[in-house]
Amino acid sequence: MQVWAVANQKGGVGKTTTAVSLAGELSNLGKSVLLIDLDPHGSMSAYFKLDPDSHEPSIYHLFQTPAYAVNEIIVDTGIDKVKLLPSSTAVATLDRQLGTQAGKGLVIKNALTSYEDQFDYCLIDCAPLLGILMVNALAAADKLLVPVQTEFLAIKGLERMLHTLNMILKARAEPLEYLIIPTMFDRRTRAAIQSLRQLRETYHETIWDNIIPVDTQFREASRQGKPISHVAASSRGAKAYVQLLNRLLNGKSEPSLMASGH
Ligand SMILES: Nc1ncnc2c1ncn2[C@@H]1O[C@H](COP(=O)(O)OP(=O)(O)O)[C@@H](O)[C@H]1O
Ligand SMILES: [Mg+2]
C-alpha cells in the first residue's frame, strides 16, 4: 500500500478535492483506495454525505481506543473499491487530550500496518492545522501532496508551511518526497498567471509542471458526493487529475525530498 498525504495549512486550496479526485481516478484503474479524513471539520466525510457532528465511530475512536480496528470504522463511499475512514467533530479535541502523550504520533501509521494488503493506496486528507493529526499524517505518508491555489500571497503561506513541515519531519527516519500542485488555475486572470510563474521560479524542482484548472464541475461533483471523474469524465478538471495521477504513478522527475533527522 502506498500512502499519500494531502496537506496545506491554508483552507480552501483544493486538498479534499485532490484526495477525492485522485481516489476516483485510481478506482477507474481498478485500484482499491482507503481515504482517511483527518480534518475535524470532516469535509471529506461530508463530501460522502456523512454528518461529522453525529457520525460514530470515527478516527477519533482509533486515537481513543487502541483496540478499535480500522475495519470497524470504515464506510463505503459508493465508489467502486474506495472506502473511507470518516472524521467527526470530536477529533478537534484530540490535540488538547493527547498533546503530551508519547506514541500518539504513530496511531495512523500503526493502524494501517494491518491493512497493507487490503488497499493499494491510502490517501490522507489533512486538516489545515499543524498538530497531532498532521504529525500522524506525515509519519504514515510515503509521499506528500501540497495543493496551492494560484493566487497572490500563496507563496508566502507555502514558504511558512514547508518550513514548519520540515521541522516536524526531522523526527522521521526517512526523508519525505513531496510535490506542489498548483490548483484552481484561472488562465484568464493576471494574478493566476503571475503567481504560477512565481511558484515555478521558486519551487522549480518540487512543483508539478502542470496545473489543475478552475472548473465548475468540481462543485457539481461534490454536490453529488462523487469524484469528478464519475460526474464529468471529460471535463478539464477530471483530465487534469488524470494527468496528475500519471505523474504520481510514473513520475520521471527527480524526487523532491524534505529533510530527515539523520
Ligand atoms: N479546481 C477547482 N476549480 C473550481 N473549484 C474548485 C477546484 N478545486 C476545489 N474547488 C472547490 O473549492 C472549494 C474548496 O475546495 P476543497 O477541496 O474543499 O479545499 P480544502 O480541502 O483545501 O479546504 C470546494 O467548494 C471545491 O469544490
Ligand atoms: Mg478539506
Side-chain angles (χ1 to χ4, degrees):
M1 179 171 64
Q2 272 275 312
V3 183
W4 299 344
V6 186
N8 190 324
Q9 260 172 286
K10 205 163 174 295
V13 298
K15 290 184 293 297
T16 302
T17 302
T18 295
V20 172
S21 301
L22 289 175
E25 302 299 351
L26 283 164
S27 166
N28 288 344
L29 297 179
K31 305 293 183 191
S32 54
V33 184
L34 176 63
L35 285 169
I36 303 185
D37 188 354
L38 267 196
D39 187 342
H41 291 119
S43 49
M44 180 185 265
S45 306
Y47 195 110
F48 291 109
K49 312 298 181 199
L50 298 177
D51 179 2
D53 287 331
S54 60
H55 185 82
E56 282 198 38
S58 76
I59 64 152
Y60 178 77
H61 298 82
L62 272 190
F63 284 86
Q64 285 300 331
T65 322
Y68 246 105
V70 167
N71 264 343
E72 300 173 71
I73 305 176
I74 52 178
V75 297
D76 283 330
T77 59
I79 311 305
D80 193 32
K81 289 191 178 180
V82 180
K83 307 277 185 196
L84 169 70
L85 262 185
S87 185
S88 62
T89 29
V91 166
T93 64
L94 285 175
D95 254 312
R96 205 176 55 234
Q97 290 180 40
L98 307 174
T100 55
Q101 288 180 33
K104 289 298 181 186
L106 294 174
V107 171
I108 296 293
K109 188 180 170 70
N110 292 341
L112 290 179
T113 50
S114 318
Y115 298 87
E116 275 286 332
D117 301 332
Q118 201 170 321
F119 296 99
D120 298 313
Y121 291 89
C122 171
L123 271 65
I124 304 178
D125 186 23
C126 296
L129 308 159
L130 292 164
I132 191 72
L133 297 169
M134 184 62 92
V135 170
N136 268 271
L138 295 180
D142 301 304
K143 213 189 275 271
L144 178 65
L145 313 183
V146 184
V148 177
Q149 202 174 342
T150 41
E151 51 154 33
F152 286 127
L153 299 179
I155 299 209
K156 268 257 148 314
L158 183 60
E159 243 165 65
R160 239 190 341 263
M161 191 196 60
L162 292 176
H163 178 75
T164 324
L165 287 185
N166 250 314
M167 311 254 289
I168 300 180
L169 284 166
K170 292 234 161 75
R172 254 177 79 111
E174 298 187 351
L176 183 61
E177 188 182 324
Y178 76 102
L179 186 67
I180 293 168
I181 301 159
T183 59
M184 302 185 195
F185 181 72
D186 184 351
R187 63 196 158 121
R188 294 163 306 180
T189 71
R190 266 169 70 96
I193 291 165
Q194 284 178 3
S195 60
L196 180 63
R197 187 182 304 139
Q198 203 185 351
L199 277 169
R200 285 178 171 163
E201 279 167 11
T202 315
Y203 298 101
H204 51 99
E205 283 170 0
T206 57
I207 194 165
W208 179 40
D209 58 11
N210 210 326
I211 51 96
I212 304 295
V214 164
D215 190 333
T216 51
Q217 291 298 330
F218 286 107
R219 202 183 316 140
E220 179 56 22
S222 74
R223 201 184 59 76
Q224 293 190 28
K226 293 178 185 163
I228 188 167
S229 58
H230 290 55
V231 170
S234 58
S235 63
R236 290 189 307 138
K239 286 179 177 162
Y241 275 106
V242 169
Q243 291 187 25
L244 174 60
L245 183 60
N246 285 337
R247 164 67 181 77
L248 293 169
L249 296 181
N250 321 308
K252 293 178 293 288
S253 356
E254 288 297 305
S256 344
L257 303 176
M258 289 185 108
S260 79
H262 301 276

